[in-house]
Amino acid sequence: MGHIRVVATAFVLAMGATACGAAEVAVLSTPTMKGAFNELAPAFTRATGHTLVLTFEGVPVLKRQIEAGEKFDAAVLLPAAVDDLARLGRIAAGSRSDFARTAAGVAIRAGAPKPQVASRDDLKRTLLAATTIAYSSDSVSGSYFLRLLDRLGIEGEVKPRLLAVTGRSPVDAVARGEAELTVITVPNIVGVEGVALAGVLPDELQNYTTFSVGISANASEPKAAEQLIAFLHSPVAVAAIRSRGLEPVAP
């Protein structure tokens, strides 16, 4: 972590070191960061000359791929996943840098009446009233949602009305009218056509998710990956992160 802090504090120097040649930086990322990277990728190229080659997939899937030997330069995952992969020697020890976090919220179809979700009882009533609820069967947010139903004591009543979604976001199912709502991290809702944010979950049930970036132990472009980490803590990146419903995390 120490050398990453040095890079982050020397951001201007890092950004100025691009004359040596542009690189293609292979980045594996949770799809939660897709909206932010739509802004961050071109800004990073303007600042450094490097190009991000982005692959988006759920954290459990990416973790399995990395464990199996997938080639990459940097990975944007959850802190525990980065730490596990560092212990396995797949991510460079000490390279992890937390840079953003977000809350979970409820997505509904655009134009639909907004249900109440601000309190435990409000959320419980909303979930019990929904005809169909989409969730991702192979993601961290999907696992959290199933645990949430159990915590609320309504798993048995709601489970027959769940729509398990694979290969796409459950938000897409809401936008298409296949499901009435979904519970997922806010960046997966903000700015997505066809859906709206009904509200964030109450504090007592909230699940804040932190996002971390780590450098591959076998990176083809380790210096460019270090520049990416520095960039993710820059003022330009912080603005893009906030615009997508995330909170920046200081290095």
Side-chain angles (χ1 to χ4, degrees):
M1 191 68 181
H3 77 278
I4 295 301
R5 288 198 182 97
V6 171
V7 173
T9 55
F11 175 73
V12 175
L13 292 178
M15 296 302 101
T18 60
C20 297
E24 287 193 343
V25 187
V27 180
L28 305 179
S29 174
T30 165
T32 302
M33 294 302 303
K34 188 172 185 178
F37 270 118
N38 284 341
E39 296 182 44
L40 293 172
F44 179 69
T45 299
R46 288 192 296 271
T48 67
H50 304 318
T51 302
L52 298 183
V53 180
L54 293 152
T55 299
F56 297 100
E57 190 55 86
V59 170
V61 175
L62 289 179
K63 189 168 182 290
R64 290 195 295 269
Q65 291 175 347
I66 292 171
E67 288 171 348
E70 182 80 11
K71 291 286 291 180
F72 69 101
D73 294 305
V76 177
L77 306 167
L78 305 185
V82 174
D83 290 346
D84 285 347
L85 291 166
R87 282 190 287 271
L88 291 171
R90 299 297 189 186
I91 283 181
S95 70
R96 176 186 140 193
S97 180
D98 302 343
F99 67 95
R101 80 165 195 163
T102 188
V106 176
I108 59 172
R109 196 170 188 189
K114 284 192 176 183
Q116 296 298 311
V117 298
S119 72
R120 183 188 187 95
D121 288 342
D122 286 341
L123 179 63
K124 188 173 179 178
R125 281 192 292 268
T126 292
L127 294 175
L128 286 170
T131 54
T132 309
I133 302 173
Y135 81 103
S136 175
S137 57
D138 192 12
S139 75
V140 174
S141 64
S143 298
Y144 161 71
F145 174 64
L146 294 178
R147 293 195 302 273
L148 175 65
L149 294 180
D150 183 58
R151 289 177 64 186
L152 291 171
I154 58 174
E155 183 179 12
E157 295 168 85
V158 174
K159 211 161 189 179
R161 289 177 274 132
L162 296 184
L163 173 65
V165 173
T166 57
R168 59 183 175 131
S169 171
V171 174
D172 178 65
V174 175
R176 291 170 179 267
E178 299 166 17
E180 191 173 325
L181 59 84
T182 188
V183 175
I184 198 166
T185 47
V186 172
N188 286 294
I189 306 170
V190 174
V192 177
E193 188 176 353
V195 298
L197 176 65
V200 297
L201 303 193
D203 286 342
E204 63 180 300
L205 299 171
Q206 188 53 259
N207 180 54
Y208 288 100
T209 303
T210 297
F211 299 98
S212 304
V213 58
I215 299 173
S216 170
N218 300 303
S220 299
E221 302 291 347
K223 295 298 183 184
E226 287 186 356
Q227 285 182 271
L228 173 61
I229 293 179
F231 177 77
L232 289 174
H233 292 288
S234 71
V236 171
V238 164
I241 285 167
R242 285 201 173 109
S243 74
R244 291 293 172 168
L246 293 140
E247 301 172 15
V249 173

Short mmCIF file of all heavy atoms in Angstrom, two decimals, residues 77-112:
data_model
loop_
_atom_site.label_atom_id
_atom_site.label_comp_id
_atom_site.label_asym_id
_atom_site.label_seq_id
_atom_site.Cartn_x
_atom_site.Cartn_y
_atom_site.Cartn_z
N LEU A 77 -12.11 -4.67 -7.84
CA LEU A 77 -12.92 -5.67 -7.16
C LEU A 77 -13.29 -5.14 -5.77
O LEU A 77 -13.16 -3.96 -5.50
CB LEU A 77 -12.13 -6.98 -7.04
CG LEU A 77 -11.56 -7.57 -8.33
CD1 LEU A 77 -10.55 -8.66 -8.02
CD2 LEU A 77 -12.69 -8.13 -9.19
N LEU A 78 -13.76 -6.03 -4.91
CA LEU A 78 -14.00 -5.68 -3.51
C LEU A 78 -12.72 -5.94 -2.71
O LEU A 78 -11.89 -6.77 -3.10
CB LEU A 78 -15.15 -6.49 -2.95
CG LEU A 78 -16.47 -6.42 -3.73
CD1 LEU A 78 -17.57 -7.17 -2.99
CD2 LEU A 78 -16.88 -4.98 -3.98
N PRO A 79 -12.53 -5.23 -1.59
CA PRO A 79 -11.28 -5.37 -0.83
C PRO A 79 -10.93 -6.81 -0.47
O PRO A 79 -9.77 -7.22 -0.61
CB PRO A 79 -11.56 -4.54 0.43
CG PRO A 79 -12.54 -3.51 -0.01
CD PRO A 79 -13.42 -4.21 -1.00
N ALA A 80 -11.91 -7.58 -0.01
CA ALA A 80 -11.63 -8.96 0.40
C ALA A 80 -11.14 -9.80 -0.78
O ALA A 80 -10.24 -10.64 -0.63
CB ALA A 80 -12.87 -9.60 1.02
N ALA A 81 -11.71 -9.56 -1.97
CA ALA A 81 -11.29 -10.31 -3.16
C ALA A 81 -9.87 -9.96 -3.55
O ALA A 81 -9.06 -10.83 -3.90
CB ALA A 81 -12.25 -10.04 -4.32
N VAL A 82 -9.53 -8.67 -3.49
CA VAL A 82 -8.16 -8.24 -3.81
C VAL A 82 -7.18 -8.86 -2.82
O VAL A 82 -6.12 -9.37 -3.21
CB VAL A 82 -8.05 -6.70 -3.80
CG1 VAL A 82 -6.59 -6.27 -3.98
CG2 VAL A 82 -8.91 -6.09 -4.89
N ASP A 83 -7.52 -8.84 -1.54
CA ASP A 83 -6.64 -9.41 -0.52
C ASP A 83 -6.46 -10.92 -0.71
O ASP A 83 -5.35 -11.44 -0.57
CB ASP A 83 -7.19 -9.13 0.87
CG ASP A 83 -7.09 -7.66 1.25
OD1 ASP A 83 -6.36 -6.92 0.58
OD2 ASP A 83 -7.76 -7.26 2.23
N ASP A 84 -7.55 -11.63 -1.02
CA ASP A 84 -7.46 -13.07 -1.27
C ASP A 84 -6.54 -13.37 -2.44
O ASP A 84 -5.70 -14.28 -2.39
CB ASP A 84 -8.84 -13.67 -1.55
CG ASP A 84 -9.69 -13.81 -0.29
OD1 ASP A 84 -9.13 -13.69 0.82
OD2 ASP A 84 -10.91 -14.04 -0.43
N LEU A 85 -6.69 -12.60 -3.52
CA LEU A 85 -5.87 -12.82 -4.72
C LEU A 85 -4.42 -12.44 -4.47
O LEU A 85 -3.51 -13.04 -5.06
CB LEU A 85 -6.45 -12.03 -5.89
CG LEU A 85 -7.81 -12.56 -6.39
CD1 LEU A 85 -8.47 -11.55 -7.31
CD2 LEU A 85 -7.63 -13.90 -7.12
N ALA A 86 -4.18 -11.47 -3.59
CA ALA A 86 -2.80 -11.13 -3.22
C ALA A 86 -2.16 -12.28 -2.45
O ALA A 86 -0.99 -12.62 -2.67
CB ALA A 86 -2.78 -9.85 -2.40
N ARG A 87 -2.94 -12.91 -1.57
CA ARG A 87 -2.41 -14.06 -0.82
C ARG A 87 -2.09 -15.23 -1.74
O ARG A 87 -1.16 -16.01 -1.48
CB ARG A 87 -3.42 -14.49 0.26
CG ARG A 87 -3.41 -13.61 1.50
CD ARG A 87 -4.23 -14.20 2.63
NE ARG A 87 -5.66 -14.13 2.37
CZ ARG A 87 -6.42 -13.09 2.72
NH1 ARG A 87 -5.87 -12.06 3.35
NH2 ARG A 87 -7.71 -13.08 2.47
N LEU A 88 -2.84 -15.33 -2.84
CA LEU A 88 -2.60 -16.40 -3.81
C LEU A 88 -1.48 -16.06 -4.79
O LEU A 88 -1.12 -16.89 -5.63
CB LEU A 88 -3.89 -16.69 -4.59
CG LEU A 88 -5.04 -17.33 -3.81
CD1 LEU A 88 -6.30 -17.36 -4.67
CD2 LEU A 88 -4.66 -18.74 -3.37
N GLY A 89 -0.98 -14.83 -4.70
CA GLY A 89 0.09 -14.42 -5.60
C GLY A 89 -0.37 -13.95 -6.95
O GLY A 89 0.45 -13.76 -7.86
N ARG A 90 -1.68 -13.72 -7.12
CA ARG A 90 -2.22 -13.27 -8.40
C ARG A 90 -2.21 -11.74 -8.51
O ARG A 90 -2.13 -11.20 -9.62
CB ARG A 90 -3.65 -13.77 -8.60
CG ARG A 90 -3.80 -15.29 -8.61
CD ARG A 90 -3.05 -15.91 -9.77
NE ARG A 90 -3.36 -17.33 -9.89
CZ ARG A 90 -2.76 -18.15 -10.74
NH1 ARG A 90 -1.83 -17.67 -11.55
NH2 ARG A 90 -3.09 -19.42 -10.79
N ILE A 91 -2.34 -11.06 -7.37
CA ILE A 91 -2.26 -9.60 -7.32
C ILE A 91 -1.04 -9.22 -6.51
O ILE A 91 -0.73 -9.86 -5.49
CB ILE A 91 -3.54 -9.00 -6.73
CG1 ILE A 91 -4.66 -9.03 -7.79
CG2 ILE A 91 -3.33 -7.58 -6.22
CD1 ILE A 91 -5.98 -8.45 -7.36
N ALA A 92 -0.32 -8.21 -6.98
CA ALA A 92 0.92 -7.80 -6.34
C ALA A 92 0.68 -7.37 -4.89
O ALA A 92 -0.21 -6.55 -4.63
CB ALA A 92 1.57 -6.66 -7.13
N ALA A 93 1.46 -7.92 -3.98
CA ALA A 93 1.33 -7.58 -2.56
C ALA A 93 1.54 -6.08 -2.36
O ALA A 93 2.47 -5.49 -2.93
CB ALA A 93 2.34 -8.38 -1.74
N GLY A 94 0.68 -5.45 -1.57
CA GLY A 94 0.81 -4.03 -1.28
C GLY A 94 0.26 -3.11 -2.33
O GLY A 94 0.33 -1.88 -2.19
N SER A 95 -0.32 -3.65 -3.41
CA SER A 95 -0.80 -2.78 -4.49
C SER A 95 -2.25 -2.34 -4.32
O SER A 95 -2.72 -1.47 -5.04
CB SER A 95 -0.63 -3.46 -5.85
OG SER A 95 -1.53 -4.55 -6.00
N ARG A 96 -2.97 -2.94 -3.39
CA ARG A 96 -4.39 -2.61 -3.23
C ARG A 96 -4.58 -1.15 -2.83
O ARG A 96 -3.90 -0.64 -1.93
CB ARG A 96 -5.03 -3.50 -2.16
CG ARG A 96 -6.48 -3.13 -1.87
CD ARG A 96 -7.04 -3.92 -0.71
NE ARG A 96 -7.87 -3.06 0.13
CZ ARG A 96 -8.30 -3.36 1.34
NH1 ARG A 96 -7.97 -4.53 1.89
NH2 ARG A 96 -9.04 -2.51 2.02
N SER A 97 -5.54 -0.49 -3.48
CA SER A 97 -5.90 0.89 -3.14
C SER A 97 -7.42 1.01 -3.19
O SER A 97 -8.03 0.79 -4.24
CB SER A 97 -5.26 1.86 -4.11
OG SER A 97 -5.60 3.20 -3.79
N ASP A 98 -8.04 1.36 -2.06
CA ASP A 98 -9.48 1.60 -2.03
C ASP A 98 -9.73 3.01 -2.58
O ASP A 98 -9.04 3.96 -2.20
CB ASP A 98 -10.01 1.52 -0.60
CG ASP A 98 -9.72 0.18 0.06
OD1 ASP A 98 -9.42 -0.78 -0.67
OD2 ASP A 98 -9.78 0.09 1.30
N PHE A 99 -10.73 3.14 -3.47
CA PHE A 99 -10.91 4.46 -4.08
C PHE A 99 -12.37 4.94 -4.12
O PHE A 99 -12.63 6.11 -4.40
CB PHE A 99 -10.33 4.49 -5.50
CG PHE A 99 -11.06 3.62 -6.50
CD1 PHE A 99 -12.03 4.15 -7.31
CD2 PHE A 99 -10.77 2.27 -6.61
CE1 PHE A 99 -12.72 3.36 -8.23
CE2 PHE A 99 -11.44 1.47 -7.52
CZ PHE A 99 -12.41 2.02 -8.33
N ALA A 100 -13.34 4.06 -3.86
CA ALA A 100 -14.74 4.49 -3.90
C ALA A 100 -15.59 3.56 -3.05
O ALA A 100 -15.21 2.42 -2.78
CB ALA A 100 -15.25 4.51 -5.33
N ARG A 101 -16.75 4.07 -2.63
CA ARG A 101 -17.71 3.22 -1.95
C ARG A 101 -19.12 3.69 -2.29
O ARG A 101 -19.32 4.82 -2.75
CB ARG A 101 -17.51 3.21 -0.43
CG ARG A 101 -18.06 4.39 0.31
CD ARG A 101 -18.14 4.12 1.81
NE ARG A 101 -18.99 5.11 2.47
CZ ARG A 101 -19.50 4.97 3.68
NH1 ARG A 101 -19.23 3.89 4.38
NH2 ARG A 101 -20.26 5.90 4.21
N THR A 102 -20.08 2.80 -2.09
CA THR A 102 -21.46 3.16 -2.42
C THR A 102 -22.43 2.41 -1.51
O THR A 102 -22.07 1.44 -0.85
CB THR A 102 -21.78 2.84 -3.89
OG1 THR A 102 -23.07 3.39 -4.22
CG2 THR A 102 -21.81 1.34 -4.13
N ALA A 103 -23.67 2.91 -1.52
CA ALA A 103 -24.75 2.28 -0.75
C ALA A 103 -25.62 1.44 -1.68
O ALA A 103 -25.52 1.52 -2.91
CB ALA A 103 -25.59 3.37 -0.08
N ALA A 104 -26.50 0.65 -1.07
CA ALA A 104 -27.49 -0.13 -1.83
C ALA A 104 -28.79 0.63 -1.88
O ALA A 104 -29.16 1.35 -0.95
CB ALA A 104 -27.69 -1.50 -1.18
N GLY A 105 -29.50 0.49 -3.00
CA GLY A 105 -30.78 1.17 -3.17
C GLY A 105 -31.77 0.29 -3.91
O GLY A 105 -31.47 -0.84 -4.27
N VAL A 106 -32.94 0.83 -4.14
CA VAL A 106 -34.01 0.11 -4.84
C VAL A 106 -34.24 0.77 -6.19
O VAL A 106 -34.46 1.99 -6.27
CB VAL A 106 -35.32 0.13 -4.02
CG1 VAL A 106 -36.45 -0.53 -4.81
CG2 VAL A 106 -35.11 -0.58 -2.68
N ALA A 107 -34.18 -0.04 -7.24
CA ALA A 107 -34.43 0.44 -8.59
C ALA A 107 -35.83 0.05 -9.02
O ALA A 107 -36.26 -1.09 -8.81
CB ALA A 107 -33.41 -0.14 -9.57
N ILE A 108 -36.56 0.99 -9.61
CA ILE A 108 -37.89 0.73 -10.16
C ILE A 108 -37.91 1.20 -11.61
O ILE A 108 -37.01 1.90 -12.06
CB ILE A 108 -38.99 1.47 -9.36
CG1 ILE A 108 -38.72 2.99 -9.38
CG2 ILE A 108 -39.07 0.94 -7.94
CD1 ILE A 108 -39.84 3.83 -8.79
N ARG A 109 -38.95 0.83 -12.32
CA ARG A 109 -39.06 1.26 -13.71
C ARG A 109 -39.33 2.76 -13.76
O ARG A 109 -40.09 3.29 -12.93
CB ARG A 109 -40.18 0.50 -14.41
CG ARG A 109 -40.11 0.61 -15.93
CD ARG A 109 -41.06 -0.34 -16.61
NE ARG A 109 -40.83 -0.35 -18.05
CZ ARG A 109 -41.62 -0.95 -18.92
NH1 ARG A 109 -42.67 -1.63 -18.49
NH2 ARG A 109 -41.34 -0.92 -20.21
N ALA A 110 -38.71 3.44 -14.69
CA ALA A 110 -38.90 4.89 -14.84
C ALA A 110 -40.37 5.20 -15.04
O ALA A 110 -41.06 4.54 -15.84
CB ALA A 110 -38.08 5.41 -16.01
N GLY A 111 -40.88 6.19 -14.31
CA GLY A 111 -42.27 6.59 -14.42
C GLY A 111 -43.22 5.88 -13.48
O GLY A 111 -44.36 6.32 -13.30
N ALA A 112 -42.76 4.79 -12.86
CA ALA A 112 -43.61 4.07 -11.91
C ALA A 112 -43.69 4.84 -10.60
O ALA A 112 -42.75 5.56 -10.25
CB ALA A 112 -43.04 2.66 -11.68
#
